[in-house]
C-alpha cells in the first residue's frame, strides 16, 4: 500500500502519518518510513545531531500494526495507545535512514488489540516492543 491507500485505513494526517508504505504478508505488517531530515520531531531532538525520538519509532510500529485491522478501521474509528511494554531501543534512527517495521497482532478482544513489533534500519534492530491499543469512535465537535 502506498500513502494514499494507507490514508483510507488510518485517520492520521500531515506530520503524524508516519508510513510511506506498508504491506500485509499473512499475519505480519511490513511498513516503511524514510526519514527525510526535515521532520518536526528532529528540529529539537537534537540540534546538530538529530535522532528520531523513541516515541516516534513506537508510533510507526503502531501505525504499521493497524493495517492488520483494516476491517475494524471504519471511517469514524481512531486507534489510541493503551499501553507499551518491554520497549527496547537498541540503535538510533537518523536522517536518511529507511526505517522498516515488522508487526503482528498477538491477541484481540475488541475494542482492545495487543501486538508486538520490531523496527530495523537494514539488518540492524533499532527498537522492539509489545503494545496494546483500543479502537475508539471519533467524537463529533
Amino acid at each position: 500500500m502506498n500513502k494514499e491507500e494507507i490514508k483510507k485505513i488510518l485517520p492520521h494526517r500531515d506530520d503524524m502519518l508516519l508510513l510511506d508504505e506498508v504491506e500485509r504478508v499473512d499475519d505480519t505488517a511490513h511498513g516503511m518510513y524514510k526519514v527525510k531530515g526535515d521532520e518536526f520531531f528532529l528540529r529539537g531532538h537534537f540540534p546538530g545531531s538529530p535522532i528520531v525520538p523513541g516515541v516516534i519509532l513506537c508510533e510507526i510500529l503502531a501505525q504499521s500494526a493497524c493495517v492488520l485491522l483494516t476491517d475494524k478501521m471504519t471511517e469514524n474509528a481512531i486507534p489510541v495507545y493503551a499501553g507499551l511494554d518491554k520497549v527496547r531501543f537498541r540503535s538510533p534512527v537518523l536522517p536518511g535512514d529507511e526505517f522498516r517495521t515488522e508487526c503482528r497482532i498477538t491477541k484481540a478482544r475488541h475494542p482492545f488489540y495487543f501486538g508486538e513489533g520490531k523496527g530495523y534500519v537494514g539488518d540492524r534492530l533499532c527498537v522492539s516492543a509489545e503494545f496494546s491499543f483500543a479502537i475508539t469512535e471519533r467524537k463529533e465537535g
Side-chain angles (χ1 to χ4, degrees):
M1 286 180 196
N2 64 30
K3 206 161 198 150
E4 290 307 310
E5 293 168 316
I6 294 166
K7 286 180 180 180
K8 293 177 183 173
I9 300 168
L10 295 178
H12 303 74
R13 294 294 181 269
D14 303 323
D15 293 337
M16 284 309 297
L17 180 58
L18 298 170
L19 286 174
D20 292 323
E21 60 186 54
V22 67
E23 178 181 22
R24 183 180 184 155
V25 179
D26 298 323
D27 67 342
T28 305
H30 298 269
M32 191 278 295
Y33 179 73
K34 174 75 172 177
V35 183
K36 297 173 283 306
D38 61 352
E39 289 89 349
F40 74 94
F41 49 80
L42 292 175
R43 287 194 291 265
H45 196 268
F46 299 98
S49 186
I51 298 172
V52 178
V55 68
I56 297 294
L57 299 178
C58 291
E59 178 66 21
I60 297 169
L61 292 177
Q63 288 184 21
S64 296
C66 284
V67 172
L68 296 170
L69 302 172
T70 301
D71 58 329
K72 307 287 189 250
M73 295 300 298
T74 63
E75 185 177 322
N76 289 325
I78 297 178
V80 294
Y81 258 123
L84 282 164
D85 195 23
K86 299 181 183 174
V87 180
R88 297 291 178 262
F89 301 106
R90 303 181 187 281
S91 187
V93 177
L94 308 171
D97 284 347
E98 189 173 276
F99 182 68
R100 296 202 165 271
T101 65
E102 292 179 9
C103 298
R104 63 187 197 90
I105 301 298
T106 58
K107 182 178 166 185
R109 186 172 292 158
H110 188 76
F112 296 100
Y113 296 86
F114 302 83
E116 61 186 15
K118 294 181 179 178
Y120 300 87
V121 172
D123 292 333
R124 179 173 40 102
L125 178 63
C126 298
V127 62
S128 60
E130 294 178 4
F131 45 86
S132 59
F133 51 94
I135 297 181
T136 64
E137 290 296 314
R138 186 182 315 257
K139 302 288 187 225
E140 296 298 320

